[in-house]
Amino acid sequence: MLIVNQGLFLACPAHLTRTSPGVKLVQAHATRSTGEVSLALRFIGIDPESSGGNCPAVWVDDATHEIVIQGWQADEATKKRTQQDSPLLDTEGVIRVPGRMAEILRKALDDLAGS
């Protein structure tokens, strides 16, 4: 089952609030490295196989035209390998999301491209 804009809370419900079907707002204040604050992110979806506290998720920040991704922290070997291609700043992180979330990520990208 793919959870994309279904108006359902299957994982991490404490971070979400129901608005209208297909639209959820994150209650936390999401700060970017520039110090900007987005008071509301548009929830796109979560890992369809998540359970409880394991909930890789994707949001779109319409104000900044950015994608916000929650995933698993990468191990040191992965971080070291990624830095061969792109140095990692103190304000950045390397995360992993399962491949089964490809459709959710595409949805976020398509939403941004259309805005």
Side-chain angles (χ1 to χ4, degrees), residues 41-79:
L41 301 174
R42 186 163 39 93
F43 179 71
I44 301 298
I46 62 169
D47 175 3
E49 294 183 19
S50 66
S51 61
N54 296 333
C55 51
V58 178
W59 295 263
V60 168
D61 186 329
D62 291 312
T64 61
H65 300 285
E66 295 173 332
I67 296 173
V68 176
I69 300 173
Q70 175 181 318
W72 301 301
Q73 292 183 9
D75 59 31
E76 288 304 314
T78 301
K79 288 180 196 177

Side-chain angles (χ1 to χ4, degrees), residues 68-108:
V68 176
I69 300 173
Q70 175 181 318
W72 301 301
Q73 292 183 9
D75 59 31
E76 288 304 314
T78 301
K79 288 180 196 177
K80 185 177 274 191
R81 172 56 189 92
T82 62
Q83 291 180 51
Q84 293 174 11
D85 300 313
S86 178
L88 190 63
L89 299 175
D90 291 341
T91 58
E92 297 176 327
V94 177
I95 63 162
R96 289 182 173 269
V97 294
R100 62 185 169 261
M101 291 185 67
E103 189 172 337
I104 294 168
L105 291 166
R106 275 192 288 276
K107 167 83 172 113

Side-chain angles (χ1 to χ4, degrees), residues 7-50:
L8 301 174
F9 302 142
L10 296 184
C12 301
H15 302 292
L16 304 173
T17 181
R18 186 180 301 273
T19 53
S20 61
V23 178
K24 298 173 193 70
L25 300 177
V26 176
Q27 294 300 299
H29 297 282
T31 58
R32 295 179 45 220
S33 59
T34 61
E36 292 180 41
V37 176
S38 178
L39 298 179
L41 301 174
R42 186 163 39 93
F43 179 71
I44 301 298
I46 62 169
D47 175 3
E49 294 183 19
S50 66

